Amino acid sequence: MNEVAITRDQLKTAIDEALARVEVVDMHTHLFPAEFSGMLLWGIDEVLTYHYLIAEYFRCSQMDCDRFFTLPKARQAELVWQTLFLERSPVSEAQRGVLTILQKLELDVGARSLDSYREYFRSLKLEEHIDNVFRLAGVQEVVMTNDPFDPQERSFWKEGAEVDPRFRAALRIDPLLVNYPEAAKMLQAEGYEVDRDLGGNSAAEVRRFLKDWAQRIRALYMAASLPPNFSVSDDSLGTRVLKECILPACAELNIPMAMMIGVKRQVNKELRLAGDSLGRAEIGAVERLCAEYPENKFLVTMLSRENQHELAIAARKFRNLLVFGCWWFLNNPSLIEEITAIRLETLGLSFVPQHSDARVLEHLIYKWDHSRGVIGQVLLRKYEDLLATGWVLTEEEIARDVAQLFQGNFRDFVGR
Ligand code: RAT
Ligand code: ZN
């Protein structure tokens, strides 16, 4: 590598190269290793029936929702393809993502041939395909979303399944926070002595459950997604579970709690997984937790655009807070650009710019391709401003900074 100072003209190439070379640690996905057979979604029909696309499909079709969901997946995929790709141009971010996937897999995008794409996927061996997707996406590791309340997933872990080391675990515990009485039933069935009011020995037993699972799956963090009205100043069961169980367990294990705040679940139930929306949340809850629990570490992302500036400012106040990702409805180029600029201007390089939220293996390809492109443009402007002052930069320094953003900040924060 060239240790000489780079010029303004060489800047773009240096940034593009650093971004192309960096192997991302993708800190939040919904992917699973091949060993969890049936749980890893992959292939063109899964790509086309991504819930982001399902929501867009229903805007353009009169199809009855319930009827759609009774159709076989292949038929659903055909309807989405016909409606969103053949009858109109696929300009939305999720639609364009499908084309990027096809392009990077070297399929003929212009042919518009679902049959030939299916043929290609049928010819693949899953293990080799996973390697290929990680390589094309420039991803080194992904963090899964591991649900101890899901019977199918639970049995894989209990049988002690071997897990591909590129797939790291995160303990996802939404039910404990959003519906403790229901969660308590499952804990009881698993032999934990909890009651539905969190009385008696319940808090200690919930902590035991959390520690057992975090250790069993070697969780890098615990996580939950939370509603816009998430608050910690009440004495609801959710708040008590957070303060009396989750935060002490995280502190003892020295792992962060990830809070994904702002999801309004099932605004339109007919759309099922595609039926969630968002709302602006109260940053005070994040500030209070960071201040009152200095022994705890918090990974936070928020879903509303309106929360982004105050979240970045909160992170300036608390070093136990690491802001991450442009989550879900924010994972659009225009918003990634705006949010990344806000973060660079307020936090320097001390945040995690993106996670993929991939639900289907091939999502890694398009989400990281698109995000690298946008984040690269924002970085270019920032480095140009530095050079304009007379500051000197080397390729190594740019590669160092990019590695910090895409791997180091997360790894350091979780303590690896
Ligand atoms: O982005 C998504 O696919 C959402 O459905 C959710 O998974 C969200 O990211 C979450 O983890 O709750
Ligand atoms: Zn997610």
Side-chain angles (χ1 to χ4, degrees):
M1 241 199 259
N2 176 11
E3 285 194 38
V4 180
I6 51 175
T7 64
R8 163 77 184 70
D9 290 345
Q10 295 165 329
L11 200 51
K12 184 169 182 327
T13 311
I15 295 168
D16 288 349
E17 276 175 11
L19 282 165
R21 246 184 256 129
V22 70
E23 293 210 27
V24 169
V25 177
D26 188 345
M27 59 163 286
H28 171 59
T29 76
H30 297 262
L31 301 177
F32 293 95
E35 295 84 4
F36 284 36
S37 67
M39 291 193 73
L40 173 64
L41 303 181
W42 64 285
I44 189 65
D45 287 354
E46 296 294 351
V47 166
L48 286 171
T49 52
Y50 187 23
H51 70 86
Y52 293 23
L53 289 171
I54 299 283
E56 292 165 27
Y57 163 76
F58 280 118
R59 293 197 54 71
C60 303
S61 163
Q62 294 311 313
M63 166 70 82
D64 177 77
C65 294
D66 283 340
R67 197 169 142 242
F68 177 85
F69 288 113
T70 61
L71 298 172
K73 178 137 302 165
R75 183 67 196 128
Q76 294 178 9
E78 283 155 13
L79 287 168
V80 171
W81 178 251
Q82 176 66 30
T83 307
L84 296 182
F85 292 79
L86 301 183
E87 291 173 8
R88 44 187 59 71
S89 298
V91 297
S92 84
E93 175 62 8
Q95 293 163 22
R96 172 184 160 230
V98 177
L99 309 186
T100 301
I101 292 170
L102 299 175
Q103 178 191 37
K104 298 283 173 190
L105 291 170
E106 294 180 35
L107 295 166
D108 183 353
V109 180
R112 303 188 185 185
S113 166
L114 182 53
D115 285 343
S116 71
Y117 307 147
R118 283 176 165 164
E119 191 61 44
Y120 165 81
F121 281 99
R122 269 196 295 272
S123 75
L124 297 173
K125 289 203 175 62
L126 179 57
E127 279 73 9
E128 287 168 19
H129 181 52
I130 294 174
D131 294 346
N132 192 34
V133 168
F134 272 63
R135 186 180 58 76
L136 290 172
V139 169
Q140 192 176 74
E141 287 180 343
V142 299
V143 183
M144 304 174 273
T145 295
N146 302 105
D147 182 357
F149 295 91
D150 176 62
Q152 188 187 7
E153 176 161 5
R154 235 180 16 231
S155 60
F156 283 116
W157 290 111
K158 284 196 165 169
E159 286 157 16
E162 273 292 311
V163 178
D164 179 334
R166 291 171 297 187
F167 291 75
R168 308 299 307 250
L171 187 65
R172 181 75 178 242
I173 49 175
D174 299 26
L176 279 173
L177 284 165
V178 297
N179 191 351
Y180 170 75
E182 268 305 304
K185 284 191 207 159
M186 191 283 262
L187 266 63
Q188 286 165 351
E190 292 283 298
Y192 296 90
E193 287 174 26
V194 295
D195 65 30
R196 291 165 54 91
D197 312 313
L198 202 64
N201 206 25
S202 297
E205 283 291 276
V206 175
R207 289 196 295 275
R208 185 166 71 87
F209 164 79
L210 291 168
K211 285 186 279 179
D212 285 350
W213 272 95
Q215 282 164 341
R216 174 178 284 141
I217 71 175
R218 294 202 268 147
L220 296 181
Y221 58 84
M222 296 189 200
S225 70
L226 299 158
N229 65 358
F230 170 62
S231 160
V232 291
S233 42
D234 54 15
D235 57 2
S236 65
L237 279 172
T239 301
R240 288 188 52 208
V241 169
L242 182 65
K243 293 183 173 178
E244 295 171 32
C245 310
I246 296 170
L247 295 182
C250 283
E252 201 177 310
L253 296 165
N254 193 26
I255 59 175
M257 173 63 191
M259 301 188 297
M260 309 169 68
I261 307 171
V263 55
K264 233 192 259 173
R265 294 282 179 208
Q266 298 296 280
V267 167
N268 183 350
K269 292 190 173 53
E270 283 199 315
L271 296 184
R272 305 195 184 180
L273 195 52
D276 299 338
S277 189
L278 75 131
R280 183 178 180 152
E282 174 49 62
I283 192 70
V286 175
E287 293 165 345
R288 225 160 288 137
L289 287 171
C290 291
E292 286 171 22
Y293 296 86
E295 302 304 313
N296 277 93
K297 301 184 275 191
F298 299 93
L299 287 160
V300 177
T301 196
M302 295 178 90
L303 196 48
S304 157
R305 179 189 188 180
E306 287 68 31
N307 280 127
Q308 300 311 314
H309 182 241
E310 54 199 8
L311 177 60
I313 303 307
R316 291 173 64 86
K317 311 298 147 194
F318 299 103
R319 61 183 164 191
N320 58 343
L321 169 57
L322 183 64
V323 170
F324 73 97
C326 299
W327 179 27
W328 196 347
F329 306 112
L330 297 172
N331 194 347
N332 290 331
S334 60
L335 296 170
I336 299 169
E337 185 174 349
E338 170 182 300
I339 294 166
T340 304
I342 292 174
R343 291 173 177 172
L344 285 168
E345 287 160 13
T346 52
L347 298 170
L349 295 165
S350 68
F351 64 98
V352 177
Q354 191 55 308
H355 66 271
S356 75
D357 235 309
R359 279 182 179 265
V360 180
L361 177 65
E362 295 82 12
H363 285 165
L364 291 175
I365 298 174
Y366 96 78
K367 302 237 186 187
W368 284 110
D369 180 70
H370 295 188
S371 286
R372 274 186 168 91
V374 181
I375 294 165
Q377 286 164 22
V378 184
L379 282 173
L380 175 61
R381 289 201 293 275
K382 295 301 161 201
Y383 285 124
E384 278 173 354
D385 291 345
L386 299 190
L387 290 192
T389 69
W391 185 255
V392 174
L393 279 166
T394 65
E395 279 182 19
E396 284 81 1
E397 287 171 332
I398 290 174
R400 172 203 62 195
D401 296 348
V402 165
Q404 199 65 41
L405 288 169
F406 287 87
Q407 320 172 315
N409 288 337
F410 173 71
R411 283 198 172 135
D412 293 347
F413 198 73
V414 299
R416 285 177 50 220

